[in-house]
Amino acid sequence: MSDDKKQLWGGRFTAPPDETFAEFNDSFRFDQRLFAADVTASIAHANGLQRAGIISSEEGNSIVDGLKALLNEASENADHFATAKAEDVHSFIEAKLIEKIGDTGRKVHTGRSRNDQVATAFRLWCRDEIDAVIELIRRVERSLLDLATRHQDAVIPAYTHLQRAQPVLFAHWCLAYFEMLERDVERFGQARERTNVMPLGSGAVAGTGFPIDREAVAQELGFDGLSKNSLDGVSDRDFAVDICSAASLLMVHLSRLAEDMILYASTEFGFITLSDAVSSGSSLMPQKKNPDALELLRGKTGRVFGNALALLTMIKGLPLAYNKDMQEDKEAVFDTIDTIGISLRAAAVILNNTSLNAEAARNAAATGYLNATDLADYLVAKGMPFRIAHETVGKAVLFAIEKGCELNELELGGLSQFSELIEEDVYERLSLASSLAARSAVGGTSPERVREALAAARSKLEK
Ligand code: ARG
């Protein structure tokens, strides 16, 4: 057995692990992603041991220098350790340290367990990834605002039940997704707060047996606080669930965006065009230009939900405190972070390669009786109770359908047979421009409100 692979717990055993068991048990092939985080935490731990006088300053310096050298080797060549053999990243690092500095390396694990060690390294890794995810969400937000700005005055139909409902500014549609992503930023921020708590010092389960100043170690690692109970410290994976559930909602939003855009890019809608750079063709049908990128955005949502559910199921029913089941936390979070990372990068690129076919969208917004509510509101403004106005306009719509025209294409005589309150000024009220302008309450689609919302969104991003 190579030295890399020597177990941390060999003393009590007289026989080596079965090969299949080892393959089943080992996590190094995936948890090596925690390498830098675990070395960083080990450096802070060694400093803590030294400050407490548990190891001498020579020993402390030797351990810290050895660990830093390992970090350098890994940063110079990302694949440096990729094929090494080890049970997990923690035993790997300890073995490498001993190889590098000799017996002093055997002191690094004083006063800690892999149980508090893995929780600490995992939280450090997650914290940095959350920051990266928030940056990527911002990138998509910026792309949405740019798309809205490229088509400032454009109008599209808004849908309910996927039936044309009322006209809205295209920018208003863009800003709806901006709002969703803002909540995602907030949710990841909250997940970060719960992630950025240091379990190191919890030991295996009962707390460390050495007088290490946990506050100082936490400060060195940039943690905002300490876990307050050792049983909870080593077994809390709520932060991983927080991350995976924030990721699930993020993917819900990207998936809904994708679905809207897939529909809008279809010949039937024809509202948007995706550039060639983000479209694919068919191997058989020469005419096809497919929105594969958007479909993948929608399709990758399922695995992110799956990861969240896998984590919840893994934790449910676990007796306190650490159980090996918990080793399953990493792949769920790694896959989630990888999936949302590429999805966000793709979403930004897709939006940057999207253009609105303003005329087609406007025509769709101007036909199909999307101004029926405006006619009802017009009657209400002239004193008619809304319920009666609704009924009246319903009849007018039926009449227009029979005539094969829009409400605003009916002659005044045709319209006023439904109510004598309808006068010449009705045509102005039925125009697309008045329909938009009328929705001027906060959150509405009037050009003025949307201009403000766009500016507010911009300044939020610039902060
Ligand atoms: N590789 C383990 C994990 O990811 C950490 C080691 C703790 N193992 C143990 N037998 N106490 O959870």
Side-chain angles (χ1 to χ4, degrees):
M1 194 183 293
S2 79
D3 201 43
D4 281 355
K5 185 60 198 186
K6 196 165 180 301
Q7 316 296 346
L8 295 175
W9 33 263
R12 188 226 179 280
F13 289 75
T14 54
D18 172 88
E19 260 181 44
T20 304
F21 163 66
E23 186 187 335
F24 192 49
N25 188 51
D26 292 357
S27 53
F28 187 63
R29 72 181 177 282
F30 55 85
D31 71 12
Q32 56 183 266
R33 289 178 75 162
L34 299 181
F35 178 83
D38 202 52
V39 173
T40 304
S42 295
I43 291 173
H45 178 64
N47 286 331
L49 289 173
Q50 180 186 329
R51 276 193 301 267
I54 300 157
I55 57 175
S56 71
S57 59
E58 295 77 58
E59 288 168 336
N61 291 341
S62 164
I63 290 173
V64 169
D65 290 348
L67 289 169
K68 283 185 179 161
L70 287 181
L71 263 188
N72 279 338
E73 283 166 35
S75 70
E76 273 160 23
N77 175 5
D79 295 331
H80 195 52
F81 299 127
T83 57
K85 283 204 165 23
E87 182 187 347
D88 59 20
V89 66
H90 320 292
S91 42
F92 174 75
I93 291 167
E94 192 172 317
K96 280 287 163 200
L97 180 66
I98 294 166
E99 199 179 292
K100 199 169 270 306
I101 68 168
D103 276 345
T104 306
R106 299 184 197 278
K107 294 199 170 186
V108 71
H109 207 56
T110 311
R112 74 174 183 191
S113 153
R114 273 184 300 166
N115 299 351
D116 58 350
Q117 185 183 357
V118 68
T120 302
F122 195 25
R123 282 170 184 265
L124 281 178
W125 186 89
C126 287
R127 180 184 73 190
D128 290 351
E129 292 299 324
I130 289 172
D131 291 342
V133 166
I134 290 175
E135 273 311 303
L136 288 176
I137 298 176
R138 294 288 186 215
R139 198 191 285 184
V140 179
E141 289 184 332
R142 210 161 288 128
S143 298
L144 277 169
L145 299 189
D146 290 347
L147 179 60
T149 308
R150 285 202 295 282
H151 303 284
Q152 282 262 17
D153 309 314
V155 184
I156 61 167
Y159 294 81
T160 67
H161 312 271
L162 202 53
Q163 307 290 316
R164 274 183 236 170
Q166 292 179 330
V168 292
L169 285 177
F170 176 63
H172 197 56
W173 175 89
C174 295
L175 284 164
Y177 285 102
F178 179 87
E179 287 299 318
M180 296 176 222
L181 294 177
E182 274 299 289
R183 291 196 294 276
D184 292 321
V185 167
E186 197 177 298
R187 250 185 300 272
F188 274 102
Q190 291 160 346
R192 190 191 197 282
E193 281 174 29
R194 283 188 288 271
T195 299
N196 203 26
V197 172
M198 189 187 78
L200 195 62
S202 300
V205 66
T208 181
F210 291 86
I212 297 168
D213 179 354
R214 293 185 67 207
E215 285 287 359
V217 176
Q219 206 163 32
E220 185 174 335
L221 292 171
F223 281 112
D224 294 325
L226 303 178
S227 61
K228 295 190 179 65
N229 178 294
S230 61
L231 289 160
D232 183 48
V234 290
S235 65
D236 171 19
R237 294 296 183 273
D238 294 3
F239 67 95
V241 175
D242 275 334
I243 291 168
C244 288
S245 53
S248 294
L249 271 172
L250 167 65
M251 289 305 291
V252 165
H253 299 150
L254 295 183
S255 181
R256 295 185 77 175
L257 172 69
E259 175 63 13
D260 263 356
M261 291 179 69
I262 289 166
L263 286 172
Y264 295 173
S266 68
T267 311
E268 285 68 17
F269 282 75
F271 297 169
I272 61 172
T273 303
L274 299 176
S275 81
D276 287 359
V278 292
S279 305
S280 5
S282 156
S283 62
L284 190 150
M285 299 165 282
Q287 86 285 9
K288 291 299 292 293
K289 186 176 163 194
N290 294 328
D292 290 32
L294 290 165
E295 291 163 292
L296 277 171
L297 217 46
R298 190 177 58 186
K300 283 185 185 293
T301 303
R303 64 196 286 163
V304 174
F305 293 0
N307 289 335
L309 190 61
L311 272 185
L312 286 167
T313 312
M314 181 272 284
I315 299 165
K316 169 201 167 292
L318 278 189
L320 285 183
Y322 179 84
N323 299 269
K324 193 59 169 259
D325 312 47
M326 291 161 68
Q327 182 164 281
E328 289 290 310
D329 59 1
K330 272 156 239 68
E331 285 164 295
V333 172
F334 292 160
D335 183 67
T336 297
I337 293 289
D338 290 345
T339 304
I340 62 178
I342 185 66
S343 297
L344 286 165
R345 288 195 290 131
V349 170
I350 295 166
L351 290 166
N352 296 343
N353 279 279
T354 297
S355 58
L356 185 77
N357 310 321
E359 205 185 311
R362 191 182 187 85
N363 286 341
T367 53
Y369 312 103
L370 280 74
N371 52 6
T373 314
D374 294 284
L375 182 53
D377 290 352
Y378 167 89
L379 291 171
V380 167
K382 296 203 170 190
M384 189 183 279
F386 178 74
R387 189 50 56 212
I388 296 172
H390 188 287
E391 172 86 17
T392 304
V393 176
K395 288 186 178 133
V397 168
L398 201 57
F399 179 72
I401 290 171
E402 278 159 10
K403 293 264 165 210
C405 67
E406 292 296 316
L407 287 172
N408 46 288
E409 288 166 355
L410 290 171
E411 282 168 18
L412 188 57
L415 275 172
S416 61
Q417 64 179 306
F418 296 99
S419 165
E420 56 202 23
L421 293 174
I422 298 178
E423 295 168 290
E424 188 60 39
D425 62 348
V426 75
Y427 292 104
E428 151 56 19
R429 185 64 189 80
L430 291 181
S431 72
L432 208 46
S434 330
S435 174
L436 292 167
R439 268 84 207 178
S440 61
V442 175
T445 193
S446 79
E448 196 189 343
R449 287 286 98 86
V450 171
R451 213 175 306 116
E452 285 166 9
L454 201 51
R458 277 274 179 222
S459 75
K460 212 164 188 179
L461 270 195
E462 269 143 33
K463 257 193 226 135

Coordinates of all heavy atoms in Angstrom, one line a residue, residues 351-389:
L351 N -29.3 35.6 -23.5 CA -30.0 36.9 -23.5 C -29.2 37.9 -24.3 O -29.8 38.7 -25.0 CB -30.2 37.4 -22.1 CG -31.2 36.6 -21.2 CD1 -31.0 36.9 -19.7 CD2 -32.6 36.9 -21.7
N352 N -27.9 37.8 -24.3 CA -27.1 38.7 -25.1 C -27.3 38.5 -26.6 O -27.0 39.3 -27.4 CB -25.6 38.6 -24.7 CG -25.3 39.0 -23.3 OD1 -26.2 39.7 -22.6 ND2 -24.2 38.6 -22.7
N353 N -27.7 37.3 -26.9 CA -27.9 36.9 -28.3 C -29.4 36.8 -28.7 O -29.7 36.1 -29.6 CB -27.2 35.5 -28.5 CG -25.7 35.7 -28.7 OD1 -25.3 36.0 -29.8 ND2 -25.0 35.5 -27.7
T354 N -30.2 37.6 -28.0 CA -31.6 37.6 -28.3 C -32.0 38.9 -28.8 O -31.6 40.0 -28.3 CB -32.4 37.3 -27.0 OG1 -32.1 36.0 -26.5 CG2 -33.9 37.4 -27.2
S355 N -32.8 38.9 -29.9 CA -33.4 40.2 -30.3 C -34.9 40.1 -30.4 O -35.4 39.0 -30.7 CB -32.7 40.7 -31.6 OG -32.9 39.7 -32.6
L356 N -35.6 41.2 -30.2 CA -37.0 41.2 -30.2 C -37.5 41.6 -31.6 O -36.9 42.5 -32.2 CB -37.6 42.2 -29.2 CG -39.1 42.2 -29.1 CD1 -39.6 41.0 -28.3 CD2 -39.6 43.5 -28.5
N357 N -38.5 40.8 -32.1 CA -39.1 41.3 -33.4 C -40.3 42.2 -33.0 O -41.4 41.7 -32.9 CB -39.6 40.0 -34.2 CG -38.4 39.0 -34.3 OD1 -37.3 39.4 -34.5 ND2 -38.8 37.7 -34.1
A358 N -39.9 43.4 -32.9 CA -40.8 44.4 -32.2 C -42.2 44.4 -33.0 O -43.2 44.6 -32.3 CB -40.2 45.8 -32.2
E359 N -42.2 44.4 -34.3 CA -43.4 44.5 -35.1 C -44.4 43.3 -34.8 O -45.5 43.5 -34.6 CB -43.1 44.7 -36.5 CG -44.2 45.4 -37.3 CD -43.9 45.4 -38.8 OE1 -42.8 45.8 -39.2 OE2 -44.8 45.1 -39.5
A360 N -43.8 42.1 -34.9 CA -44.6 40.9 -34.6 C -45.2 41.0 -33.2 O -46.4 40.7 -33.0 CB -43.8 39.7 -34.8
A361 N -44.4 41.4 -32.3 CA -44.8 41.4 -30.9 C -45.9 42.4 -30.7 O -46.9 42.2 -30.0 CB -43.7 41.6 -29.9
R362 N -45.7 43.6 -31.3 CA -46.7 44.7 -31.2 C -48.0 44.3 -31.9 O -49.1 44.5 -31.3 CB -46.1 45.9 -31.9 CG -46.9 47.2 -31.6 CD -46.3 48.4 -32.3 NE -47.0 49.6 -31.9 CZ -46.7 50.2 -30.8 NH1 -45.7 49.9 -30.1 NH2 -47.4 51.3 -30.5
N363 N -47.9 43.6 -33.0 CA -49.2 43.2 -33.7 C -49.9 42.2 -32.8 O -51.2 42.3 -32.8 CB -48.8 42.5 -35.1 CG -48.4 43.6 -36.1 OD1 -48.7 44.8 -35.9 ND2 -47.7 43.1 -37.1
A364 N -49.2 41.3 -32.2 CA -49.9 40.4 -31.3 C -50.5 41.1 -30.1 O -51.6 40.7 -29.6 CB -48.9 39.3 -30.8
A365 N -49.9 42.2 -29.7 CA -50.4 42.9 -28.5 C -51.6 43.7 -28.9 O -52.5 44.1 -28.1 CB -49.3 43.8 -27.9
A366 N -51.7 44.1 -30.2 CA -52.8 45.0 -30.7 C -54.0 44.3 -31.2 O -55.0 44.9 -31.5 CB -52.2 45.9 -31.8
T367 N -53.9 42.9 -31.3 CA -55.1 42.2 -31.8 C -55.4 41.1 -30.8 O -54.6 40.6 -30.0 CB -54.7 41.5 -33.1 OG1 -53.5 40.8 -33.0 CG2 -54.5 42.5 -34.2
G368 N -56.7 40.7 -30.8 CA -57.2 39.7 -29.9 C -57.9 40.3 -28.7 O -58.0 39.6 -27.6
Y369 N -58.3 41.5 -28.8 CA -59.2 42.2 -27.7 C -58.4 42.4 -26.4 O -59.0 42.3 -25.4 CB -60.5 41.3 -27.5 CG -61.1 41.0 -28.8 CD1 -61.0 39.7 -29.4 CD2 -61.8 42.0 -29.5 CE1 -61.6 39.4 -30.6 CE2 -62.4 41.7 -30.8 CZ -62.3 40.4 -31.3 OH -62.8 40.1 -32.5
L370 N -57.1 42.6 -26.5 CA -56.4 42.9 -25.3 C -56.7 44.2 -24.7 O -56.4 44.5 -23.5 CB -54.9 42.9 -25.6 CG -54.3 41.5 -25.7 CD1 -54.7 40.8 -27.0 CD2 -52.7 41.5 -25.6
N371 N -57.5 45.0 -25.4 CA -58.0 46.3 -24.8 C -59.4 46.2 -24.3 O -60.0 47.3 -24.0 CB -57.9 47.4 -25.9 CG -58.6 47.1 -27.2 OD1 -59.2 46.0 -27.3 ND2 -58.4 48.0 -28.2
A372 N -59.9 45.0 -24.1 CA -61.3 44.9 -23.6 C -61.4 45.4 -22.1 O -62.3 46.1 -21.8 CB -61.7 43.4 -23.6
T373 N -60.3 45.2 -21.4 CA -60.3 45.7 -20.0 C -60.3 47.2 -20.0 O -60.9 47.9 -19.1 CB -59.1 45.2 -19.2 OG1 -58.9 43.8 -19.4 CG2 -59.2 45.4 -17.7
D374 N -59.6 47.8 -21.0 CA -59.6 49.2 -21.1 C -60.9 49.8 -21.4 O -61.3 50.9 -20.8 CB -58.6 49.7 -22.2 CG -57.2 49.3 -21.8 OD1 -56.6 50.0 -21.0 OD2 -56.7 48.2 -22.3
L375 N -61.7 49.1 -22.2 CA -63.1 49.6 -22.5 C -63.9 49.5 -21.2 O -64.7 50.5 -20.9 CB -63.7 48.7 -23.6 CG -65.1 49.2 -24.0 CD1 -65.2 50.7 -24.4 CD2 -65.6 48.3 -25.2
A376 N -63.8 48.4 -20.4 CA -64.5 48.3 -19.2 C -64.1 49.5 -18.2 O -64.9 50.1 -17.6 CB -64.2 47.0 -18.5
D377 N -62.7 49.7 -18.1 CA -62.2 50.8 -17.2 C -62.8 52.1 -17.7 O -63.1 53.0 -16.9 CB -60.7 50.7 -17.2 CG -60.2 49.5 -16.5 OD1 -61.0 48.8 -15.9 OD2 -58.9 49.3 -16.5
Y378 N -62.9 52.3 -19.0 CA -63.4 53.6 -19.6 C -64.9 53.8 -19.1 O -65.2 54.9 -18.7 CB -63.4 53.4 -21.1 CG -64.1 54.5 -21.9 CD1 -63.5 55.7 -22.3 CD2 -65.4 54.2 -22.3 CE1 -64.3 56.6 -23.0 CE2 -66.2 55.1 -23.1 CZ -65.6 56.3 -23.4 OH -66.3 57.2 -24.2
L379 N -65.6 52.7 -19.1 CA -67.0 52.8 -18.7 C -67.1 53.1 -17.2 O -67.9 53.9 -16.7 CB -67.8 51.5 -19.0 CG -68.0 51.3 -20.5 CD1 -68.6 49.9 -20.8 CD2 -69.0 52.4 -21.1
V380 N -66.2 52.4 -16.4 CA -66.2 52.6 -15.0 C -65.8 54.1 -14.7 O -66.5 54.7 -13.8 CB -65.1 51.7 -14.3 CG1 -64.8 52.1 -12.9 CG2 -65.6 50.3 -14.4
A381 N -64.9 54.7 -15.5 CA -64.5 56.1 -15.3 C -65.7 57.0 -15.5 O -65.8 58.1 -15.0 CB -63.4 56.4 -16.2
K382 N -66.6 56.5 -16.4 CA -67.8 57.3 -16.6 C -69.0 57.0 -15.7 O -70.1 57.3 -15.9 CB -68.3 57.1 -18.1 CG -67.2 57.7 -19.0 CD -67.8 58.0 -20.4 CE -66.7 58.8 -21.2 NZ -67.2 59.3 -22.4
G383 N -68.7 56.2 -14.6 CA -69.7 56.0 -13.6 C -70.3 54.6 -13.5 O -71.1 54.3 -12.7
M384 N -70.0 53.7 -14.5 CA -70.7 52.4 -14.5 C -70.0 51.5 -13.5 O -68.8 51.5 -13.4 CB -70.6 51.8 -15.9 CG -71.4 50.6 -16.1 SD -71.2 49.9 -17.8 CE -72.2 50.9 -18.8
P385 N -70.8 50.7 -12.7 CA -70.2 49.8 -11.8 C -69.4 48.7 -12.6 O -69.8 48.3 -13.7 CB -71.4 49.1 -11.1 CG -72.5 50.0 -11.3 CD -72.2 50.8 -12.6
F386 N -68.2 48.3 -12.1 CA -67.3 47.5 -12.8 C -68.0 46.2 -13.3 O -67.8 45.7 -14.5 CB -66.1 47.1 -12.0 CG -65.2 46.2 -12.8 CD1 -64.4 46.6 -13.9 CD2 -65.1 44.8 -12.6 CE1 -63.6 45.8 -14.7 CE2 -64.4 43.9 -13.4 CZ -63.6 44.5 -14.4
R387 N -68.8 45.5 -12.5 CA -69.4 44.3 -12.9 C -70.3 44.4 -14.1 O -70.3 43.6 -15.0 CB -70.2 43.7 -11.7 CG -70.6 42.2 -11.8 CD -69.6 41.3 -12.3 NE -68.4 41.2 -11.5 CZ -67.2 41.0 -12.0 NH1 -67.0 40.8 -13.3 NH2 -66.2 41.0 -11.2
I388 N -71.0 45.6 -14.1 CA -71.9 45.8 -15.3 C -71.0 46.1 -16.5 O -71.3 45.7 -17.6 CB -72.9 46.9 -14.9 CG1 -73.8 46.5 -13.8 CG2 -73.7 47.3 -16.2 CD1 -74.7 47.5 -13.2
A389 N -70.0 46.9 -16.3 CA -69.1 47.2 -17.4 C -68.5 46.0 -18.0 O -68.4 45.8 -19.2 CB -67.9 48.2 -16.9

